[in-house]
Amino acid sequence: MKNERPKLAITVAILLSIFFATYIIRDLRHGYLNGTTPTALEQYSSEDGVTFKYPNTYRLSSKNHEMAGAKWDSVELIPKNVVVPAFSDGPQSISLEVFDDSAGLSLEKYIKNDVRSNFTLSNGTLSPTTIGGQPAVTYQYSGLYEYDAVAVLHNNKVFVFSVGWSQTTDQIRRDYSGILSTITFQ
């Protein structure tokens, strides 16, 4: 019986080592070996007063939009290794849309009443949170993909950050959470 304890302890130590090695390798394959390390971040700053950092494995593009007389700006982050086919609906992405709230609506009222927020595609639930030290609301909606969204009202602008995903475990969702943690407002 005395000789079995050291064998059991060695067996447990080996199994734990295999488990942790497997976990570390899996994490490395899902983001860290492809350049997404805490030191491999780019920074985006807008004239609207928002700044955030994002992994350098994404390419950033910005656009100006106009619909029914309303104008707004957007920023989209797409993984660099994704090739977007012509005339496609687009890949999973992380986006920021900036809307003017010159009417002075509350954040909740703006999100619920402006179709560009995509709140009409949600289950109708807004949850309070804080982003970049500012009060915010989160919600989820469905479209081409499933989406997580968070909205912030700052200096008469509504900032809506969102991510499109297929699986709850998608790397893009983890990257989105990391980006949200770096947001600051001036």
Side-chain angles (χ1 to χ4, degrees), residues 120-134:
T120 57
L121 303 174
S122 77
N123 67 1
T125 303
L126 288 174
S127 300
T129 191
T130 303
I131 296 293
Q134 302 291 312

Side-chain angles (χ1 to χ4, degrees), residues 55-109:
N56 70 354
T57 55
Y58 286 83
R59 69 177 167 269
L60 184 141
S61 62
S62 61
K63 296 178 185 170
N64 299 332
H65 305 274
E66 186 171 351
M67 178 177 77
K71 295 180 182 183
W72 72 98
D73 298 322
S74 70
V75 172
E76 185 174 47
L77 294 165
I78 298 173
K80 286 181 179 177
N81 63 351
V82 171
V83 177
V84 182
F87 308 110
S88 76
D89 288 327
Q92 296 175 352
S93 65
I94 298 169
S95 66
L96 162 63
E97 296 188 274
V98 182
F99 306 112
D100 185 36
D101 183 25
S102 57
L105 299 175
S106 70
L107 179 60
E108 293 81 5
K109 193 171 259 191

Side-chain angles (χ1 to χ4, degrees), residues 23-167:
Y23 180 79
I24 289 168
I25 290 170
R26 185 186 66 78
D27 273 0
L28 289 172
R29 285 190 180 148
H30 287 95
Y32 294 101
L33 282 181
N34 66 6
T36 310
T37 63
T39 57
L41 297 175
E42 302 288 333
Q43 182 167 304
Y44 171 80
S45 296
S46 80
E47 54 192 45
D48 293 313
V50 67
T51 299
F52 60 85
K53 294 181 180 176
Y54 62 95
N56 70 354
T57 55
Y58 286 83
R59 69 177 167 269
L60 184 141
S61 62
S62 61
K63 296 178 185 170
N64 299 332
H65 305 274
E66 186 171 351
M67 178 177 77
K71 295 180 182 183
W72 72 98
D73 298 322
S74 70
V75 172
E76 185 174 47
L77 294 165
I78 298 173
K80 286 181 179 177
N81 63 351
V82 171
V83 177
V84 182
F87 308 110
S88 76
D89 288 327
Q92 296 175 352
S93 65
I94 298 169
S95 66
L96 162 63
E97 296 188 274
V98 182
F99 306 112
D100 185 36
D101 183 25
S102 57
L105 299 175
S106 70
L107 179 60
E108 293 81 5
K109 193 171 259 191
Y110 191 95
I111 293 302
K112 288 179 178 180
N113 292 310
D114 193 301
V115 296
R116 298 172 296 172
S117 72
N118 289 317
F119 185 74
T120 57
L121 303 174
S122 77
N123 67 1
T125 303
L126 288 174
S127 300
T129 191
T130 303
I131 296 293
Q134 302 291 312
V137 293
T138 64
Y139 56 101
Q140 292 185 319
Y141 62 94
S142 296
L144 179 60
Y145 302 107
E146 296 301 310
Y147 291 86
D148 298 327
V150 61
V152 178
L153 177 61
H154 179 73
N155 289 341
N156 294 326
K157 301 278 185 185
V158 175
F159 298 84
V160 178
F161 298 87
S162 63
V163 60
W165 50 273
S166 298
Q167 303 287 322

Side-chain angles (χ1 to χ4, degrees), residues 4-19:
E4 290 181 28
R5 283 190 178 177
K7 288 180 184 177
L8 179 62
I10 291 170
T11 302
V12 168
I14 290 171
L15 289 174
L16 285 172
S17 297
I18 292 170
F19 171 78

